[in-house]
Amino acid sequence: MQHLIFTNDVTATIDRLIHNGNPNLTMWIADANTARFVPDGARLITIPDGDCNKSLETVTHVWDEMERMGATRRSLAINLGGGMVTDLGGFAAATYKRGLRFINVPTTLLGAVDAAVGGKTGFNYNGLKNEIGTFAPASEVIISTRYFDTLPIEEMKSGYAEVIKHAMLSDREELQRLLDHDFSAPISHDDLLERLRRSVKVKVDIVDRDPNELGERKALNLGHTIGHAFEALAMQQDKPIAHGYAVAWGLVAESILSHLHLRFPSEDVHLLGNFVRDNYRGFPFTCDDYDDLLALMRHDKKSRDGEITCTLLATIGDYRIDQTVTPDDVTAALDILRDHLGL
Amino acid sequence: MQHLIFTNDVTATIDRLIHNGNPNLTMWIADANTARFVPDGARLITIPDGDCNKSLETVTHVWDEMERMGATRRSLAINLGGGMVTDLGGFAAATYKRGLRFINVPTTLLGAVDAAVGGKTGFNYNGLKNEIGTFAPASEVIISTRYFDTLPIEEMKSGYAEVIKHAMLSDREELQRLLDHDFSAPISHDDLLERLRRSVKVKVDIVDRDPNELGERKALNLGHTIGHAFEALAMQQDKPIAHGYAVAWGLVAESILSHLHLRFPSEDVHLLGNFVRDNYRGFPFTCDDYDDLLALMRHDKKSRDGEITCTLLATIGDYRIDQTVTPDDVTAALDILRDHLGL
């Protein structure tokens, strides 16, 4: 189990962790955007940013740098960045000499509520996302809002979609509070950190019960079977969208499927749908795209034997994994989604 | 924990495991020497044999082949071969889509008592042995003597050194029985399998208590701090020796150190030393090689801060990990070893 630390005093926290762990060497792994947050004089491994660099080539660069610095099993790596840095840096650290200790310090909201927590590491391979990886938890994850001030609003919204997902899996009142949020209104660091604490707890509780995703952890895929298809289609059509935007749409589409399959309340579909319509401008897909979307869902890493499987909800907090849905169901849900979003 | 199956009916056992696990695809990973043992018509990934091919390039070949065959998380890999195949195949399987189930079927005595059991996977990188890897146990290890008939005697002796090591860590009577062995006398498959069962149990009991080698598992490095130095020196001098031969010499040298440090009984040093002298012809190193050997020991993956650390014995079965020894101690032990072996 990984140790989560919610704090806005990151520097002192890291100093304490280094002091307690007594590594013979501390290395920071950061990308072009986050290297400026690394303390002066620290040993730094810089990797190129962007999902296209989440590659084996970048992994070998990190291994080579670790070796050049003389890292041993008693050394420490600190991954400072978004999901790309924590995923790839975590993989490099988890496999170098069969694993050295690493700390994740996510710098984006999406990273804080998703990638940095839960022990998934990996990189893209042969054009497939996170195709190679391991389950290897960071020894500590330091969750802070101090890096968020300079994030674009789209980046914040992208992470917020995962926060909404966690509330859908656990707590109707929390969901209601989240959907009352106004992105143009200021929110204090402390309030946001408190919201993060509740959100991350949902993920951690599920992961602790099923770290290797053999069953219950699939609950965290809510919104992602259809969301990933949106994300991949947008990429294919050369108009990429942020992960969380695709997930937001996926959450609405899969809540519609939940209504069709498990009588998930239609008022909750509407509540969610309105928030997503008002805050997440997606890309205008049409019924001509349905066949491509269905094909992408069938090829999802989570699908089996060409069937489309989702996590669905009976009510907020009552999730059901491994639900098989038919192409006709999905088509109906996509129709309703487009209608709802006014596409 | 991994499931160990001792049997000489490998085919039926694998059929049963495949049937019970119900994978959507079964792939065999074997090298040029062991591919002939793979059933006709099975999906086979062949990798080049030899330690020099235990490389990232070979790992990517396995990943690519898995992808070409359409492997998913519900697929099964069977690693059939010596330590190189189970280490590298295990790494590829443990990281493909963050891990699919794999079974190890060691075909050498050394593999059966060492590499295939205990969850270490990996490959060589930048000239360093097993530099990149993970701790990922095979779901099952099938231990059989049926592949040993065609092994050269040197290969059998190499594995036997690890069998001796396990007895030194656990049981004086078993050690005595092992040292009474005559390699020129026939031994039945059933007797050998029974001996393997006792030997592997020693390793498994230790690994279960410390799978990630944070402490007690270092006991299994008995003989290896000095043994690895012999192995590396022989390689540097272009007269490579089998791993187990280097370990056999390392066991004698470290039992001498154990006598010097912990009063390990000298009669046990002699008992072991005589067997090794009679059965393991090493390479004739001289006192001119001591500096190189000491440098290699200081750079061992297990050493820290340039000190030489070993696992030593107070008596047979009473091991002490993390024992620091001085260069003078090692020099004295090497002198006594050379004297004992008549070098």
Side-chain angles (χ1 to χ4, degrees), chain A residues 16-33:
Chain A
R16 181 173 55 79
L17 291 176
I18 292 175
H19 183 263
N20 293 349
N22 192 28
N24 64 357
L25 183 77
T26 299
M27 301 162 288
W28 295 68
I29 303 174
D31 66 19
N33 299 315

Side-chain angles (χ1 to χ4, degrees), chain A residues 64 95 97 125-126 131 133, chain B residues 64 67 95 97 125-126 131 133:
Chain A
D64 293 344
T95 52
K97 294 185 192 285
Y125 187 73
N126 281 353
E131 180 69 357
Chain B
D64 292 344
E67 213 160 88
T95 51
K97 293 183 191 286
Y125 186 73
N126 280 354
E131 179 68 357

